[in-house]
mmCIF file of all heavy atoms in Angstrom:
data_model
loop_
_atom_site.group_PDB
_atom_site.id
_atom_site.type_symbol
_atom_site.label_atom_id
_atom_site.label_comp_id
_atom_site.label_asym_id
_atom_site.label_seq_id
_atom_site.Cartn_x
_atom_site.Cartn_y
_atom_site.Cartn_z
ATOM 1 N N ALA A 196 -28.789 107.012 200.992
ATOM 2 C CA ALA A 196 -29.702 106.757 202.118
ATOM 3 C C ALA A 196 -31.138 107.079 201.798
ATOM 4 O O ALA A 196 -32.041 106.704 202.554
ATOM 5 C CB ALA A 196 -29.245 107.578 203.333
ATOM 6 N N SER A 197 -31.378 107.782 200.697
ATOM 7 C CA SER A 197 -32.734 108.158 200.320
ATOM 8 C C SER A 197 -32.768 108.323 198.814
ATOM 9 O O SER A 197 -31.798 108.791 198.204
ATOM 10 C CB SER A 197 -33.143 109.461 201.010
ATOM 11 O OG SER A 197 -34.255 110.048 200.372
ATOM 12 N N VAL A 198 -33.889 107.976 198.222
ATOM 13 C CA VAL A 198 -34.005 108.127 196.775
ATOM 14 C C VAL A 198 -33.816 109.582 196.362
ATOM 15 O O VAL A 198 -33.301 109.880 195.269
ATOM 16 C CB VAL A 198 -35.361 107.568 196.279
ATOM 17 C CG1 VAL A 198 -36.529 108.392 196.783
ATOM 18 C CG2 VAL A 198 -35.386 107.494 194.760
ATOM 19 N N ASP A 199 -34.215 110.515 197.235
ATOM 20 C CA ASP A 199 -34.093 111.932 196.903
ATOM 21 C C ASP A 199 -32.639 112.395 196.855
ATOM 22 O O ASP A 199 -32.351 113.485 196.355
ATOM 23 C CB ASP A 199 -34.872 112.781 197.911
ATOM 24 C CG ASP A 199 -36.381 112.575 197.794
ATOM 25 O OD1 ASP A 199 -36.818 111.959 196.793
ATOM 26 O OD2 ASP A 199 -37.118 113.009 198.694
ATOM 27 N N GLN A 200 -31.713 111.579 197.373
ATOM 28 C CA GLN A 200 -30.290 111.922 197.309
ATOM 29 C C GLN A 200 -29.657 111.565 195.964
ATOM 30 O O GLN A 200 -28.553 112.029 195.651
ATOM 31 C CB GLN A 200 -29.521 111.194 198.414
ATOM 32 C CG GLN A 200 -29.854 111.617 199.826
ATOM 33 C CD GLN A 200 -29.055 110.832 200.853
ATOM 34 O OE1 GLN A 200 -28.333 109.891 200.516
ATOM 35 N NE2 GLN A 200 -29.196 111.213 202.115
ATOM 36 N N LEU A 201 -30.330 110.728 195.192
ATOM 37 C CA LEU A 201 -29.721 110.221 193.959
ATOM 38 C C LEU A 201 -29.234 111.316 193.011
ATOM 39 O O LEU A 201 -28.092 111.253 192.533
ATOM 40 C CB LEU A 201 -30.702 109.296 193.232
ATOM 41 C CG LEU A 201 -30.731 107.842 193.704
ATOM 42 C CD1 LEU A 201 -31.894 107.104 193.054
ATOM 43 C CD2 LEU A 201 -29.408 107.152 193.373
ATOM 44 N N PRO A 202 -30.032 112.325 192.674
ATOM 45 C CA PRO A 202 -29.557 113.332 191.723
ATOM 46 C C PRO A 202 -28.263 114.010 192.163
ATOM 47 O O PRO A 202 -27.331 114.172 191.371
ATOM 48 C CB PRO A 202 -30.721 114.328 191.643
ATOM 49 C CG PRO A 202 -31.925 113.515 191.997
ATOM 50 C CD PRO A 202 -31.455 112.555 193.046
ATOM 51 N N THR A 203 -28.205 114.390 193.427
ATOM 52 C CA THR A 203 -27.000 115.074 193.913
ATOM 53 C C THR A 203 -25.796 114.145 193.926
ATOM 54 O O THR A 203 -24.708 114.493 193.431
ATOM 55 C CB THR A 203 -27.240 115.625 195.325
ATOM 56 O OG1 THR A 203 -28.303 116.584 195.274
ATOM 57 C CG2 THR A 203 -25.977 116.287 195.865
ATOM 58 N N LEU A 204 -25.962 112.943 194.463
ATOM 59 C CA LEU A 204 -24.811 112.052 194.632
ATOM 60 C C LEU A 204 -24.310 111.484 193.308
ATOM 61 O O LEU A 204 -23.098 111.358 193.101
ATOM 62 C CB LEU A 204 -25.169 110.927 195.595
ATOM 63 C CG LEU A 204 -25.355 111.335 197.058
ATOM 64 C CD1 LEU A 204 -25.742 110.130 197.904
ATOM 65 C CD2 LEU A 204 -24.075 111.980 197.605
ATOM 66 N N VAL A 205 -25.219 111.144 192.420
ATOM 67 C CA VAL A 205 -24.770 110.582 191.134
ATOM 68 C C VAL A 205 -24.052 111.641 190.310
ATOM 69 O O VAL A 205 -22.992 111.384 189.733
ATOM 70 C CB VAL A 205 -25.960 109.982 190.352
ATOM 71 C CG1 VAL A 205 -25.511 109.521 188.964
ATOM 72 C CG2 VAL A 205 -26.549 108.810 191.125
ATOM 73 N N ARG A 206 -24.591 112.837 190.273
ATOM 74 C CA ARG A 206 -23.902 113.895 189.509
ATOM 75 C C ARG A 206 -22.578 114.269 190.172
ATOM 76 O O ARG A 206 -21.586 114.534 189.479
ATOM 77 C CB ARG A 206 -24.816 115.114 189.362
ATOM 78 C CG ARG A 206 -26.062 114.800 188.553
ATOM 79 C CD ARG A 206 -26.713 116.019 187.970
ATOM 80 N NE ARG A 206 -28.006 115.687 187.381
ATOM 81 C CZ ARG A 206 -28.178 115.132 186.175
ATOM 82 N NH1 ARG A 206 -27.129 114.859 185.427
ATOM 83 N NH2 ARG A 206 -29.390 114.862 185.734
ATOM 84 N N ARG A 207 -22.536 114.265 191.472
ATOM 85 C CA ARG A 207 -21.272 114.525 192.169
ATOM 86 C C ARG A 207 -20.234 113.459 191.808
ATOM 87 O O ARG A 207 -19.047 113.754 191.628
ATOM 88 C CB ARG A 207 -21.507 114.551 193.678
ATOM 89 C CG ARG A 207 -20.255 114.870 194.496
ATOM 90 C CD ARG A 207 -20.581 114.850 195.979
ATOM 91 N NE ARG A 207 -21.591 115.847 196.314
ATOM 92 C CZ ARG A 207 -22.222 115.892 197.493
ATOM 93 N NH1 ARG A 207 -21.967 114.986 198.426
ATOM 94 N NH2 ARG A 207 -23.127 116.833 197.732
ATOM 95 N N ALA A 208 -20.703 112.219 191.701
ATOM 96 C CA ALA A 208 -19.790 111.141 191.347
ATOM 97 C C ALA A 208 -19.179 111.366 189.961
ATOM 98 O O ALA A 208 -17.974 111.179 189.765
ATOM 99 C CB ALA A 208 -20.527 109.796 191.394
ATOM 100 N N PHE A 209 -19.991 111.756 188.999
ATOM 101 C CA PHE A 209 -19.464 112.036 187.660
ATOM 102 C C PHE A 209 -18.497 113.216 187.681
ATOM 103 O O PHE A 209 -17.446 113.188 187.028
ATOM 104 C CB PHE A 209 -20.615 112.308 186.676
ATOM 105 C CG PHE A 209 -21.214 111.063 186.094
ATOM 106 C CD1 PHE A 209 -22.316 110.471 186.696
ATOM 107 C CD2 PHE A 209 -20.669 110.474 184.970
ATOM 108 C CE1 PHE A 209 -22.882 109.312 186.176
ATOM 109 C CE2 PHE A 209 -21.222 109.309 184.438
ATOM 110 C CZ PHE A 209 -22.327 108.731 185.044
ATOM 111 N N HIS A 210 -18.831 114.259 188.424
ATOM 112 C CA HIS A 210 -17.936 115.426 188.513
ATOM 113 C C HIS A 210 -16.581 115.019 189.085
ATOM 114 O O HIS A 210 -15.525 115.340 188.530
ATOM 115 C CB HIS A 210 -18.542 116.501 189.429
ATOM 116 C CG HIS A 210 -19.841 117.052 188.941
ATOM 117 N ND1 HIS A 210 -20.671 117.794 189.748
ATOM 118 C CD2 HIS A 210 -20.465 116.979 187.740
ATOM 119 C CE1 HIS A 210 -21.755 118.149 189.062
ATOM 120 N NE2 HIS A 210 -21.651 117.662 187.847
ATOM 121 N N ASP A 211 -16.611 114.324 190.214
ATOM 122 C CA ASP A 211 -15.374 114.041 190.935
ATOM 123 C C ASP A 211 -14.535 112.968 190.259
ATOM 124 O O ASP A 211 -13.311 112.971 190.374
ATOM 125 C CB ASP A 211 -15.688 113.637 192.376
ATOM 126 C CG ASP A 211 -16.191 114.809 193.213
ATOM 127 O OD1 ASP A 211 -16.226 115.935 192.672
ATOM 128 O OD2 ASP A 211 -16.549 114.610 194.377
ATOM 129 N N ALA A 212 -15.174 112.032 189.560
ATOM 130 C CA ALA A 212 -14.400 111.022 188.838
ATOM 131 C C ALA A 212 -13.525 111.678 187.789
ATOM 132 O O ALA A 212 -12.395 111.233 187.525
ATOM 133 C CB ALA A 212 -15.331 110.001 188.183
ATOM 134 N N ASP A 213 -14.016 112.758 187.195
ATOM 135 C CA ASP A 213 -13.314 113.413 186.086
ATOM 136 C C ASP A 213 -12.371 114.517 186.546
ATOM 137 O O ASP A 213 -11.559 115.003 185.757
ATOM 138 C CB ASP A 213 -14.343 113.997 185.122
ATOM 139 C CG ASP A 213 -13.989 113.734 183.669
ATOM 140 O OD1 ASP A 213 -13.092 112.913 183.407
ATOM 141 O OD2 ASP A 213 -14.607 114.355 182.793
ATOM 142 N N ALA A 214 -12.469 114.936 187.797
ATOM 143 C CA ALA A 214 -11.637 116.039 188.290
ATOM 144 C C ALA A 214 -10.251 115.529 188.676
ATOM 145 O O ALA A 214 -10.099 114.431 189.199
ATOM 146 C CB ALA A 214 -12.303 116.695 189.492
ATOM 147 N N ALA A 215 -9.228 116.347 188.428
ATOM 148 C CA ALA A 215 -7.850 115.951 188.722
ATOM 149 C C ALA A 215 -7.606 115.840 190.225
ATOM 150 O O ALA A 215 -8.053 116.702 190.981
ATOM 151 C CB ALA A 215 -6.890 116.958 188.112
ATOM 152 N N PRO A 216 -6.892 114.781 190.645
ATOM 153 C CA PRO A 216 -6.518 113.623 189.845
ATOM 154 C C PRO A 216 -7.730 112.723 189.615
ATOM 155 O O PRO A 216 -8.414 112.342 190.565
ATOM 156 C CB PRO A 216 -5.460 112.922 190.693
ATOM 157 C CG PRO A 216 -5.817 113.273 192.106
ATOM 158 C CD PRO A 216 -6.388 114.661 192.041
ATOM 159 N N SER A 217 -8.007 112.393 188.372
ATOM 160 C CA SER A 217 -9.183 111.602 188.046
ATOM 161 C C SER A 217 -9.051 110.188 188.614
ATOM 162 O O SER A 217 -7.960 109.738 188.960
ATOM 163 C CB SER A 217 -9.382 111.550 186.532
ATOM 164 O OG SER A 217 -8.227 111.044 185.898
#
Side-chain angles (χ1 to χ4, degrees):
S197 162
V198 67
D199 292 348
Q200 294 179 354
L201 276 171
T203 298
L204 290 179
V205 175
R206 296 201 189 280
R207 182 181 299 168
F209 276 93
H210 298 166
D211 289 357
D213 224 12
S217 56

